PDB file of all heavy atoms in Angstrom:
ATOM      1  N   GLY A   1     146.772 183.669 114.126  1.00 90.00           N
ATOM      2  CA  GLY A   1     146.463 183.768 112.708  1.00 90.00           C
ATOM      3  C   GLY A   1     146.904 185.109 112.201  1.00 90.00           C
ATOM      4  O   GLY A   1     147.429 185.999 112.902  1.00 90.00           O
ATOM      5  N   GLU A   2     146.683 185.268 110.900  1.00 86.00           N
ATOM      6  CA  GLU A   2     147.132 186.529 110.216  1.00 86.00           C
ATOM      7  C   GLU A   2     145.916 187.377 109.973  1.00 86.00           C
ATOM      8  O   GLU A   2     144.948 186.905 109.362  1.00 86.00           O
ATOM      9  CB  GLU A   2     147.758 186.169 108.854  1.00 86.00           C
ATOM     10  CG  GLU A   2     148.239 187.371 108.079  1.00 86.00           C
ATOM     11  CD  GLU A   2     148.809 187.005 106.720  1.00 86.00           C
ATOM     12  OE1 GLU A   2     149.153 185.825 106.524  1.00 86.00           O
ATOM     13  OE2 GLU A   2     148.863 187.847 105.847  1.00 86.00           O
ATOM     14  N   LEU A   3     145.953 188.607 110.428  1.00 88.00           N
ATOM     15  CA  LEU A   3     144.856 189.574 110.158  1.00 88.00           C
ATOM     16  C   LEU A   3     145.028 190.080 108.743  1.00 88.00           C
ATOM     17  O   LEU A   3     146.047 190.719 108.418  1.00 88.00           O
ATOM     18  CB  LEU A   3     144.893 190.655 111.157  1.00 88.00           C
ATOM     19  CG  LEU A   3     143.568 191.520 111.135  1.00 88.00           C
ATOM     20  CD1 LEU A   3     142.552 190.769 111.964  1.00 88.00           C
ATOM     21  CD2 LEU A   3     143.753 192.909 111.756  1.00 88.00           C
ATOM     22  N   LEU A   4     144.063 189.779 107.936  1.00 87.00           N
ATOM     23  CA  LEU A   4     144.192 190.153 106.520  1.00 87.00           C
ATOM     24  C   LEU A   4     143.597 191.528 106.200  1.00 87.00           C
ATOM     25  O   LEU A   4     143.997 192.135 105.222  1.00 87.00           O
ATOM     26  CB  LEU A   4     143.403 189.106 105.656  1.00 87.00           C
ATOM     27  CG  LEU A   4     143.924 187.633 105.798  1.00 87.00           C
ATOM     28  CD1 LEU A   4     143.054 186.688 105.031  1.00 87.00           C
ATOM     29  CD2 LEU A   4     145.359 187.531 105.418  1.00 87.00           C
ATOM     30  N   GLY A   5     142.649 191.950 106.977  1.00 87.00           N
ATOM     31  CA  GLY A   5     142.017 193.264 106.722  1.00 87.00           C
ATOM     32  C   GLY A   5     141.296 193.791 107.955  1.00 87.00           C
ATOM     33  O   GLY A   5     140.896 193.000 108.818  1.00 87.00           O
ATOM     34  N   LEU A   6     141.116 195.080 107.983  1.00 91.00           N
ATOM     35  CA  LEU A   6     140.350 195.708 109.079  1.00 91.00           C
ATOM     36  C   LEU A   6     139.424 196.741 108.383  1.00 91.00           C
ATOM     37  O   LEU A   6     139.805 197.536 107.583  1.00 91.00           O
ATOM     38  CB  LEU A   6     141.333 196.475 110.003  1.00 91.00           C
ATOM     39  CG  LEU A   6     140.687 197.152 111.210  1.00 91.00           C
ATOM     40  CD1 LEU A   6     140.078 196.122 112.143  1.00 91.00           C
ATOM     41  CD2 LEU A   6     141.726 197.999 111.947  1.00 91.00           C
ATOM     42  N   SER A   7     138.139 196.595 108.715  1.00 90.00           N
ATOM     43  CA  SER A   7     137.144 197.486 108.101  1.00 90.00           C
ATOM     44  C   SER A   7     136.063 197.872 109.116  1.00 90.00           C
ATOM     45  O   SER A   7     136.069 197.327 110.272  1.00 90.00           O
ATOM     46  CB  SER A   7     136.507 196.726 106.884  1.00 90.00           C
ATOM     47  OG  SER A   7     135.868 195.575 107.311  1.00 90.00           O
ATOM     48  N   PHE A   8     135.229 198.793 108.749  1.00 90.00           N
ATOM     49  CA  PHE A   8     134.046 199.140 109.602  1.00 90.00           C
ATOM     50  C   PHE A   8     133.043 198.118 109.490  1.00 90.00           C
ATOM     51  O   PHE A   8     132.763 197.507 108.441  1.00 90.00           O
ATOM     52  CB  PHE A   8     133.511 200.461 109.218  1.00 90.00           C
ATOM     53  CG  PHE A   8     134.473 201.693 109.431  1.00 90.00           C
ATOM     54  CD1 PHE A   8     135.043 202.313 108.305  1.00 90.00           C
ATOM     55  CD2 PHE A   8     134.845 202.078 110.663  1.00 90.00           C
ATOM     56  CE1 PHE A   8     135.950 203.359 108.539  1.00 90.00           C
ATOM     57  CE2 PHE A   8     135.711 203.128 110.860  1.00 90.00           C
ATOM     58  CZ  PHE A   8     136.278 203.757 109.781  1.00 90.00           C
ATOM     59  N   ASN A   9     132.388 197.811 110.627  1.00 83.00           N
ATOM     60  CA  ASN A   9     131.351 196.808 110.623  1.00 83.00           C
ATOM     61  C   ASN A   9     130.041 197.393 110.058  1.00 83.00           C
ATOM     62  O   ASN A   9     129.597 198.462 110.486  1.00 83.00           O
ATOM     63  CB  ASN A   9     131.161 196.293 112.071  1.00 83.00           C
ATOM     64  CG  ASN A   9     130.404 194.992 112.101  1.00 83.00           C
ATOM     65  OD1 ASN A   9     129.335 194.853 111.573  1.00 83.00           O
ATOM     66  ND2 ASN A   9     131.010 194.003 112.796  1.00 83.00           N
ATOM     67  N   ASP A  10     129.354 196.644 109.236  1.00 72.00           N
ATOM     68  CA  ASP A  10     128.140 197.127 108.606  1.00 72.00           C
ATOM     69  C   ASP A  10     126.967 197.030 109.511  1.00 72.00           C
ATOM     70  O   ASP A  10     125.966 197.721 109.333  1.00 72.00           O
ATOM     71  CB  ASP A  10     127.844 196.357 107.338  1.00 72.00           C
ATOM     72  CG  ASP A  10     128.883 196.515 106.277  1.00 72.00           C
ATOM     73  OD1 ASP A  10     129.545 197.577 106.225  1.00 72.00           O
ATOM     74  OD2 ASP A  10     129.182 195.567 105.490  1.00 72.00           O
ATOM     75  N   THR A  11     126.992 196.115 110.552  1.00 64.00           N
ATOM     76  CA  THR A  11     125.840 195.868 111.346  1.00 64.00           C
ATOM     77  C   THR A  11     125.741 196.582 112.680  1.00 64.00           C
ATOM     78  O   THR A  11     124.805 196.763 113.289  1.00 64.00           O
ATOM     79  CB  THR A  11     125.703 194.333 111.629  1.00 64.00           C
ATOM     80  OG1 THR A  11     126.940 193.924 112.299  1.00 64.00           O
ATOM     81  CG2 THR A  11     125.537 193.516 110.321  1.00 64.00           C
ATOM     82  N   PHE A  12     126.938 197.156 113.101  1.00 64.00           N
ATOM     83  CA  PHE A  12     126.951 197.952 114.319  1.00 64.00           C
ATOM     84  C   PHE A  12     128.110 198.893 114.295  1.00 64.00           C
ATOM     85  O   PHE A  12     128.986 198.803 113.463  1.00 64.00           O
ATOM     86  CB  PHE A  12     127.005 197.031 115.582  1.00 64.00           C
ATOM     87  CG  PHE A  12     128.372 196.493 115.888  1.00 64.00           C
ATOM     88  CD1 PHE A  12     129.090 196.999 116.999  1.00 64.00           C
ATOM     89  CD2 PHE A  12     128.901 195.498 115.161  1.00 64.00           C
ATOM     90  CE1 PHE A  12     130.291 196.530 117.266  1.00 64.00           C
ATOM     91  CE2 PHE A  12     130.149 194.989 115.500  1.00 64.00           C
ATOM     92  CZ  PHE A  12     130.846 195.538 116.523  1.00 64.00           C
ATOM     93  N   ASP A  13     128.112 199.822 115.249  1.00 80.00           N
ATOM     94  CA  ASP A  13     129.090 200.868 115.284  1.00 80.00           C
ATOM     95  C   ASP A  13     130.437 200.341 115.822  1.00 80.00           C
ATOM     96  O   ASP A  13     130.684 200.327 117.007  1.00 80.00           O
ATOM     97  CB  ASP A  13     128.652 202.056 116.144  1.00 80.00           C
ATOM     98  CG  ASP A  13     129.567 203.190 116.168  1.00 80.00           C
ATOM     99  OD1 ASP A  13     130.419 203.277 115.217  1.00 80.00           O
ATOM    100  OD2 ASP A  13     129.472 204.013 117.067  1.00 80.00           O
ATOM    101  N   GLY A  14     131.253 199.812 114.905  1.00 92.00           N
ATOM    102  CA  GLY A  14     132.511 199.239 115.365  1.00 92.00           C
ATOM    103  C   GLY A  14     133.341 198.750 114.176  1.00 92.00           C
ATOM    104  O   GLY A  14     133.220 199.253 113.063  1.00 92.00           O
ATOM    105  N   PHE A  15     134.176 197.757 114.460  1.00 95.00           N
ATOM    106  CA  PHE A  15     135.149 197.226 113.404  1.00 95.00           C
ATOM    107  C   PHE A  15     135.002 195.788 113.174  1.00 95.00           C
ATOM    108  O   PHE A  15     134.407 195.047 114.000  1.00 95.00           O
ATOM    109  CB  PHE A  15     136.590 197.521 113.924  1.00 95.00           C
ATOM    110  CG  PHE A  15     136.868 199.009 114.191  1.00 95.00           C
ATOM    111  CD1 PHE A  15     136.624 199.515 115.490  1.00 95.00           C
ATOM    112  CD2 PHE A  15     137.315 199.845 113.201  1.00 95.00           C
ATOM    113  CE1 PHE A  15     136.828 200.866 115.748  1.00 95.00           C
ATOM    114  CE2 PHE A  15     137.541 201.171 113.451  1.00 95.00           C
ATOM    115  CZ  PHE A  15     137.371 201.688 114.725  1.00 95.00           C
ATOM    116  N   ARG A  16     135.504 195.353 112.092  1.00 93.00           N
ATOM    117  CA  ARG A  16     135.545 193.908 111.712  1.00 93.00           C
ATOM    118  C   ARG A  16     136.944 193.543 111.292  1.00 93.00           C
ATOM    119  O   ARG A  16     137.506 194.119 110.326  1.00 93.00           O
ATOM    120  CB  ARG A  16     134.554 193.633 110.574  1.00 93.00           C
ATOM    121  CG  ARG A  16     134.507 192.181 110.229  1.00 93.00           C
ATOM    122  CD  ARG A  16     133.414 191.885 109.187  1.00 93.00           C
ATOM    123  NE  ARG A  16     133.646 192.627 107.954  1.00 93.00           N
ATOM    124  CZ  ARG A  16     132.808 193.549 107.457  1.00 93.00           C
ATOM    125  NH1 ARG A  16     131.736 193.920 108.186  1.00 93.00           N
ATOM    126  NH2 ARG A  16     133.058 194.142 106.337  1.00 93.00           N
ATOM    127  N   GLY A  17     137.573 192.681 111.999  1.00 93.00           N
ATOM    128  CA  GLY A  17     138.878 192.162 111.700  1.00 93.00           C
ATOM    129  C   GLY A  17     138.744 190.834 110.947  1.00 93.00           C
ATOM    130  O   GLY A  17     138.040 189.893 111.432  1.00 93.00           O
ATOM    131  N   GLU A  18     139.339 190.745 109.765  1.00 90.00           N
ATOM    132  CA  GLU A  18     139.196 189.576 108.941  1.00 90.00           C
ATOM    133  C   GLU A  18     140.417 188.711 108.993  1.00 90.00           C
ATOM    134  O   GLU A  18     141.508 189.136 108.629  1.00 90.00           O
ATOM    135  CB  GLU A  18     138.953 190.096 107.492  1.00 90.00           C
ATOM    136  CG  GLU A  18     137.746 190.968 107.281  1.00 90.00           C
ATOM    137  CD  GLU A  18     137.731 191.585 105.894  1.00 90.00           C
ATOM    138  OE1 GLU A  18     138.277 190.992 104.952  1.00 90.00           O
ATOM    139  OE2 GLU A  18     137.130 192.642 105.768  1.00 90.00           O
ATOM    140  N   LEU A  19     140.220 187.446 109.379  1.00 91.00           N
ATOM    141  CA  LEU A  19     141.268 186.416 109.329  1.00 91.00           C
ATOM    142  C   LEU A  19     140.844 185.428 108.277  1.00 91.00           C
ATOM    143  O   LEU A  19     139.722 185.468 107.765  1.00 91.00           O
ATOM    144  CB  LEU A  19     141.447 185.750 110.659  1.00 91.00           C
ATOM    145  CG  LEU A  19     142.161 186.568 111.798  1.00 91.00           C
ATOM    146  CD1 LEU A  19     141.107 187.457 112.475  1.00 91.00           C
ATOM    147  CD2 LEU A  19     142.807 185.686 112.788  1.00 91.00           C
ATOM    148  N   ALA A  20     141.747 184.517 107.924  1.00 85.00           N
ATOM    149  CA  ALA A  20     141.404 183.547 106.902  1.00 85.00           C
ATOM    150  C   ALA A  20     140.285 182.646 107.289  1.00 85.00           C
ATOM    151  O   ALA A  20     139.384 182.293 106.457  1.00 85.00           O
ATOM    152  CB  ALA A  20     142.652 182.694 106.539  1.00 85.00           C
ATOM    153  N   ALA A  21     140.186 182.265 108.552  1.00 84.00           N
ATOM    154  CA  ALA A  21     139.204 181.330 109.003  1.00 84.00           C
ATOM    155  C   ALA A  21     138.039 181.948 109.794  1.00 84.00           C
ATOM    156  O   ALA A  21     137.037 181.228 110.005  1.00 84.00           O
ATOM    157  CB  ALA A  21     139.873 180.195 109.858  1.00 84.00           C
ATOM    158  N   GLU A  22     138.146 183.182 110.217  1.00 91.00           N
ATOM    159  CA  GLU A  22     137.040 183.772 110.992  1.00 91.00           C
ATOM    160  C   GLU A  22     137.103 185.271 110.939  1.00 91.00           C
ATOM    161  O   GLU A  22     138.048 185.861 110.449  1.00 91.00           O
ATOM    162  CB  GLU A  22     137.101 183.302 112.445  1.00 91.00           C
ATOM    163  CG  GLU A  22     138.361 183.747 113.229  1.00 91.00           C
ATOM    164  CD  GLU A  22     138.331 183.334 114.615  1.00 91.00           C
ATOM    165  OE1 GLU A  22     137.341 183.410 115.339  1.00 91.00           O
ATOM    166  OE2 GLU A  22     139.372 182.774 115.094  1.00 91.00           O
ATOM    167  N   THR A  23     135.971 185.856 111.433  1.00 94.00           N
ATOM    168  CA  THR A  23     135.893 187.298 111.550  1.00 94.00           C
ATOM    169  C   THR A  23     135.638 187.741 112.953  1.00 94.00           C
ATOM    170  O   THR A  23     134.898 187.061 113.659  1.00 94.00           O
ATOM    171  CB  THR A  23     134.711 187.823 110.641  1.00 94.00           C
ATOM    172  OG1 THR A  23     134.964 187.533 109.314  1.00 94.00           O
ATOM    173  CG2 THR A  23     134.560 189.380 110.786  1.00 94.00           C
ATOM    174  N   ILE A  24     136.321 188.777 113.431  1.00 96.00           N
ATOM    175  CA  ILE A  24     136.179 189.259 114.799  1.00 96.00           C
ATOM    176  C   ILE A  24     135.602 190.619 114.814  1.00 96.00           C
ATOM    177  O   ILE A  24     136.100 191.516 114.133  1.00 96.00           O
ATOM    178  CB  ILE A  24     137.536 189.219 115.493  1.00 96.00           C
ATOM    179  CG1 ILE A  24     138.168 187.862 115.486  1.00 96.00           C
ATOM    180  CG2 ILE A  24     137.339 189.712 116.971  1.00 96.00           C
ATOM    181  CD1 ILE A  24     139.581 187.811 116.082  1.00 96.00           C
ATOM    182  N   GLU A  25     134.475 190.810 115.516  1.00 95.00           N
ATOM    183  CA  GLU A  25     133.845 192.118 115.602  1.00 95.00           C
ATOM    184  C   GLU A  25     134.097 192.770 116.956  1.00 95.00           C
ATOM    185  O   GLU A  25     134.131 192.097 117.946  1.00 95.00           O
ATOM    186  CB  GLU A  25     132.313 191.946 115.444  1.00 95.00           C
ATOM    187  CG  GLU A  25     131.904 191.406 114.059  1.00 95.00           C
ATOM    188  CD  GLU A  25     130.382 191.240 113.917  1.00 95.00           C
ATOM    189  OE1 GLU A  25     129.748 191.083 114.977  1.00 95.00           O
ATOM    190  OE2 GLU A  25     129.895 191.139 112.784  1.00 95.00           O
ATOM    191  N   SER A  26     134.334 194.039 116.910  1.00 96.00           N
ATOM    192  CA  SER A  26     134.682 194.796 118.151  1.00 96.00           C
ATOM    193  C   SER A  26     134.426 196.242 118.026  1.00 96.00           C
ATOM    194  O   SER A  26     134.598 196.802 116.959  1.00 96.00           O
ATOM    195  CB  SER A  26     136.184 194.534 118.479  1.00 96.00           C
ATOM    196  OG  SER A  26     136.543 195.245 119.628  1.00 96.00           O
ATOM    197  N   PRO A  27     133.965 196.907 119.112  1.00 96.00           N
ATOM    198  CA  PRO A  27     133.727 198.320 119.060  1.00 96.00           C
ATOM    199  C   PRO A  27     135.055 199.109 119.069  1.00 96.00           C
ATOM    200  O   PRO A  27     135.028 200.355 118.824  1.00 96.00           O
ATOM    201  CB  PRO A  27     132.909 198.626 120.303  1.00 96.00           C
ATOM    202  CG  PRO A  27     133.233 197.477 121.215  1.00 96.00           C
ATOM    203  CD  PRO A  27     133.534 196.289 120.361  1.00 96.00           C
ATOM    204  N   ALA A  28     136.144 198.494 119.446  1.00 97.00           N
ATOM    205  CA  ALA A  28     137.417 199.236 119.554  1.00 97.00           C
ATOM    206  C   ALA A  28     138.567 198.302 119.235  1.00 97.00           C
ATOM    207  O   ALA A  28     138.501 197.091 119.377  1.00 97.00           O
ATOM    208  CB  ALA A  28     137.620 199.704 121.093  1.00 97.00           C
ATOM    209  N   VAL A  29     139.610 198.926 118.677  1.00 97.00           N
ATOM    210  CA  VAL A  29     140.809 198.215 118.151  1.00 97.00           C
ATOM    211  C   VAL A  29     142.022 198.938 118.600  1.00 97.00           C
ATOM    212  O   VAL A  29     142.119 200.134 118.575  1.00 97.00           O
ATOM    213  CB  VAL A  29     140.786 198.067 116.597  1.00 97.00           C
ATOM    214  CG1 VAL A  29     142.102 197.515 116.108  1.00 97.00           C
ATOM    215  CG2 VAL A  29     139.594 197.228 116.149  1.00 97.00           C
ATOM    216  N   VAL A  30     143.051 198.168 119.004  1.00 98.00           N
ATOM    217  CA  VAL A  30     144.394 198.711 119.265  1.00 98.00           C
ATOM    218  C   VAL A  30     145.350 198.082 118.262  1.00 98.00           C
ATOM    219  O   VAL A  30     145.529 196.841 118.216  1.00 98.00           O
ATOM    220  CB  VAL A  30     144.876 198.335 120.691  1.00 98.00           C
ATOM    221  CG1 VAL A  30     146.253 198.922 120.924  1.00 98.00           C
ATOM    222  CG2 VAL A  30     143.912 198.950 121.710  1.00 98.00           C
ATOM    223  N   LEU A  31     146.014 198.915 117.445  1.00 96.00           N
ATOM    224  CA  LEU A  31     147.070 198.491 116.546  1.00 96.00           C
ATOM    225  C   LEU A  31     148.368 198.485 117.228  1.00 96.00           C
ATOM    226  O   LEU A  31     148.822 199.468 117.782  1.00 96.00           O
ATOM    227  CB  LEU A  31     147.125 199.458 115.377  1.00 96.00           C
ATOM    228  CG  LEU A  31     145.927 199.618 114.468  1.00 96.00           C
ATOM    229  CD1 LEU A  31     146.163 200.697 113.438  1.00 96.00           C
ATOM    230  CD2 LEU A  31     145.569 198.343 113.755  1.00 96.00           C
ATOM    231  N   ALA A  32     148.927 197.254 117.333  1.00 95.00           N
ATOM    232  CA  ALA A  32     150.267 197.059 117.999  1.00 95.00           C
ATOM    233  C   ALA A  32     151.052 196.039 117.264  1.00 95.00           C
ATOM    234  O   ALA A  32     151.698 195.180 117.910  1.00 95.00           O
ATOM    235  CB  ALA A  32     150.070 196.736 119.483  1.00 95.00           C
ATOM    236  N   ALA A  33     150.986 196.012 115.954  1.00 88.00           N
ATOM    237  CA  ALA A  33     151.558 195.008 115.169  1.00 88.00           C
ATOM    238  C   ALA A  33     152.916 195.373 114.584  1.00 88.00           C
ATOM    239  O   ALA A  33     153.358 194.845 113.557  1.00 88.00           O
ATOM    240  CB  ALA A  33     150.631 194.593 114.007  1.00 88.00           C
ATOM    241  N   GLY A  34     153.633 196.351 115.220  1.00 79.00           N
ATOM    242  CA  GLY A  34     154.945 196.652 114.778  1.00 79.00           C
ATOM    243  C   GLY A  34     154.942 197.800 113.767  1.00 79.00           C
ATOM    244  O   GLY A  34     153.904 198.346 113.372  1.00 79.00           O
ATOM    245  N   ALA A  35     156.134 198.019 113.192  1.00 65.00           N
ATOM    246  CA  ALA A  35     156.358 199.169 112.342  1.00 65.00           C
ATOM    247  C   ALA A  35     156.534 198.830 110.904  1.00 65.00           C
ATOM    248  O   ALA A  35     156.927 197.743 110.538  1.00 65.00           O
ATOM    249  CB  ALA A  35     157.584 199.934 112.865  1.00 65.00           C
ATOM    250  N   ALA A  36     156.472 199.821 110.085  1.00 56.00           N
ATOM    251  CA  ALA A  36     156.941 199.916 108.703  1.00 56.00           C
ATOM    252  C   ALA A  36     156.407 198.846 107.731  1.00 56.00           C
ATOM    253  O   ALA A  36     156.534 197.655 107.945  1.00 56.00           O
ATOM    254  CB  ALA A  36     158.444 199.926 108.673  1.00 56.00           C
ATOM    255  N   ARG A  37     155.900 199.314 106.674  1.00 56.00           N
ATOM    256  CA  ARG A  37     155.462 198.460 105.535  1.00 56.00           C
ATOM    257  C   ARG A  37     156.726 197.936 104.814  1.00 56.00           C
ATOM    258  O   ARG A  37     157.735 198.526 104.849  1.00 56.00           O
ATOM    259  CB  ARG A  37     154.621 199.281 104.595  1.00 56.00           C
ATOM    260  CG  ARG A  37     155.432 200.410 103.899  1.00 56.00           C
ATOM    261  CD  ARG A  37     154.496 201.322 103.196  1.00 56.00           C
ATOM    262  NE  ARG A  37     155.231 202.354 102.474  1.00 56.00           N
ATOM    263  CZ  ARG A  37     154.735 203.500 102.070  1.00 56.00           C
ATOM    264  NH1 ARG A  37     153.498 203.825 102.394  1.00 56.00           N
ATOM    265  NH2 ARG A  37     155.424 204.371 101.430  1.00 56.00           N
ATOM    266  N   ARG A  38     156.515 196.768 104.245  1.00 66.00           N
ATOM    267  CA  ARG A  38     157.635 196.138 103.551  1.00 66.00           C
ATOM    268  C   ARG A  38     157.596 196.551 102.063  1.00 66.00           C
ATOM    269  O   ARG A  38     156.566 196.592 101.453  1.00 66.00           O
ATOM    270  CB  ARG A  38     157.556 194.597 103.671  1.00 66.00           C
ATOM    271  CG  ARG A  38     157.842 194.132 105.035  1.00 66.00           C
ATOM    272  CD  ARG A  38     157.841 192.611 105.063  1.00 66.00           C
ATOM    273  NE  ARG A  38     158.750 192.031 104.143  1.00 66.00           N
ATOM    274  CZ  ARG A  38     158.866 190.760 103.856  1.00 66.00           C
ATOM    275  NH1 ARG A  38     158.029 189.872 104.433  1.00 66.00           N
ATOM    276  NH2 ARG A  38     159.719 190.277 103.002  1.00 66.00           N
ATOM    277  N   THR A  39     158.766 196.771 101.519  1.00 72.00           N
ATOM    278  CA  THR A  39     158.880 197.100 100.091  1.00 72.00           C
ATOM    279  C   THR A  39     159.988 196.193  99.505  1.00 72.00           C
ATOM    280  O   THR A  39     160.479 195.316 100.173  1.00 72.00           O
ATOM    281  CB  THR A  39     159.087 198.621  99.876  1.00 72.00           C
ATOM    282  OG1 THR A  39     159.069 198.861  98.503  1.00 72.00           O
ATOM    283  CG2 THR A  39     160.399 199.032 100.523  1.00 72.00           C
ATOM    284  N   LEU A  40     160.388 196.512  98.275  1.00 84.00           N
ATOM    285  CA  LEU A  40     161.414 195.760  97.581  1.00 84.00           C
ATOM    286  C   LEU A  40     162.390 196.731  96.966  1.00 84.00           C
ATOM    287  O   LEU A  40     162.015 197.775  96.515  1.00 84.00           O
ATOM    288  CB  LEU A  40     160.785 194.835  96.517  1.00 84.00           C
ATOM    289  CG  LEU A  40     159.871 193.728  97.035  1.00 84.00           C
ATOM    290  CD1 LEU A  40     159.148 193.077  95.792  1.00 84.00           C
ATOM    291  CD2 LEU A  40     160.679 192.636  97.773  1.00 84.00           C
ATOM    292  N   PRO A  41     163.679 196.285  96.861  1.00 87.00           N
ATOM    293  CA  PRO A  41     164.671 197.137  96.223  1.00 87.00           C
ATOM    294  C   PRO A  41     164.585 197.004  94.707  1.00 87.00           C
ATOM    295  O   PRO A  41     165.598 196.544  94.075  1.00 87.00           O
ATOM    296  CB  PRO A  41     165.943 196.602  96.815  1.00 87.00           C
ATOM    297  CG  PRO A  41     165.681 195.168  97.032  1.00 87.00           C
ATOM    298  CD  PRO A  41     164.209 195.081  97.477  1.00 87.00           C
ATOM    299  N   ILE A  42     163.533 197.346  94.144  1.00 91.00           N
ATOM    300  CA  ILE A  42     163.326 197.194  92.634  1.00 91.00           C
ATOM    301  C   ILE A  42     163.305 198.559  91.996  1.00 91.00           C
ATOM    302  O   ILE A  42     162.559 199.481  92.471  1.00 91.00           O
ATOM    303  CB  ILE A  42     161.988 196.442  92.341  1.00 91.00           C
ATOM    304  CG1 ILE A  42     162.051 195.064  92.900  1.00 91.00           C
ATOM    305  CG2 ILE A  42     161.704 196.466  90.842  1.00 91.00           C
ATOM    306  CD1 ILE A  42     160.727 194.299  92.753  1.00 91.00           C
ATOM    307  N   PRO A  43     164.111 198.807  91.051  1.00 92.00           N
ATOM    308  CA  PRO A  43     164.201 200.149  90.374  1.00 92.00           C
ATOM    309  C   PRO A  43     162.751 200.617  89.931  1.00 92.00           C
ATOM    310  O   PRO A  43     162.039 199.863  89.319  1.00 92.00           O
ATOM    311  CB  PRO A  43     165.062 199.918  89.177  1.00 92.00           C
ATOM    312  CG  PRO A  43     165.972 198.748  89.605  1.00 92.00           C
ATOM    313  CD  PRO A  43     165.105 197.908  90.404  1.00 92.00           C
ATOM    314  N   GLY A  44     162.409 201.868  90.275  1.00 91.00           N
ATOM    315  CA  GLY A  44     161.164 202.427  89.874  1.00 91.00           C
ATOM    316  C   GLY A  44     160.023 202.282  90.857  1.00 91.00           C
ATOM    317  O   GLY A  44     159.058 203.017  90.823  1.00 91.00           O
ATOM    318  N   LEU A  45     160.199 201.325  91.819  1.00 89.00           N
ATOM    319  CA  LEU A  45     159.099 201.104  92.721  1.00 89.00           C
ATOM    320  C   LEU A  45     158.803 202.333  93.593  1.00 89.00           C
ATOM    321  O   LEU A  45     157.678 202.781  93.733  1.00 89.00           O
ATOM    322  CB  LEU A  45     159.406 199.878  93.567  1.00 89.00           C
ATOM    323  CG  LEU A  45     158.247 199.177  94.285  1.00 89.00           C
ATOM    324  CD1 LEU A  45     157.249 198.688  93.324  1.00 89.00           C
ATOM    325  CD2 LEU A  45     158.772 197.999  95.110  1.00 89.00           C
ATOM    326  N   ARG A  46     159.827 202.803  94.268  1.00 85.00           N
ATOM    327  CA  ARG A  46     159.648 203.980  95.145  1.00 85.00           C
ATOM    328  C   ARG A  46     159.312 205.251  94.343  1.00 85.00           C
ATOM    329  O   ARG A  46     158.534 206.057  94.780  1.00 85.00           O
ATOM    330  CB  ARG A  46     160.930 204.208  95.998  1.00 85.00           C
ATOM    331  CG  ARG A  46     160.705 205.155  97.111  1.00 85.00           C
ATOM    332  CD  ARG A  46     161.921 205.240  98.066  1.00 85.00           C
ATOM    333  NE  ARG A  46     162.127 203.946  98.714  1.00 85.00           N
ATOM    334  CZ  ARG A  46     161.407 203.569  99.821  1.00 85.00           C
ATOM    335  NH1 ARG A  46     160.480 204.357 100.328  1.00 85.00           N
ATOM    336  NH2 ARG A  46     161.651 202.391 100.327  1.00 85.00           N
ATOM    337  N   GLU A  47     159.937 205.395  93.180  1.00 89.00           N
ATOM    338  CA  GLU A  47     159.673 206.553  92.379  1.00 89.00           C
ATOM    339  C   GLU A  47     158.222 206.693  91.942  1.00 89.00           C
ATOM    340  O   GLU A  47     157.722 207.805  91.704  1.00 89.00           O
ATOM    341  CB  GLU A  47     160.587 206.540  91.131  1.00 89.00           C
ATOM    342  CG  GLU A  47     162.064 206.723  91.381  1.00 89.00           C
ATOM    343  CD  GLU A  47     162.774 205.423  91.873  1.00 89.00           C
ATOM    344  OE1 GLU A  47     162.062 204.399  92.126  1.00 89.00           O
ATOM    345  OE2 GLU A  47     164.023 205.510  91.930  1.00 89.00           O
TER     346      GLU A  47
END
């Protein structure tokens, strides 16, 4: 699935990963989803 967001968990000392169909709670997270945000070649966007 696609991870839509990552936030701190309100109920315990850890994290909450948000997917479209479920939420995953964990005390630790490893980010390994590759590099670089995507942008567009549109005038003014980077400026």
Side-chain angles (χ1 to χ4, degrees):
E2 179 183 342
L3 196 80
L4 303 175
L6 182 66
S7 59
F8 294 110
N9 199 306
D10 298 329
T11 57
F12 79 105
D13 184 19
F15 302 90
R16 181 173 62 245
E18 302 169 26
L19 289 84
E22 65 180 312
T23 297
I24 302 175
E25 297 178 339
S26 176
V29 171
V30 178
L31 297 174
R37 65 196 183 197
R38 290 183 58 188
T39 186
L40 293 169
I42 296 173
L45 199 59
R46 191 171 298 279
E47 291 81 352

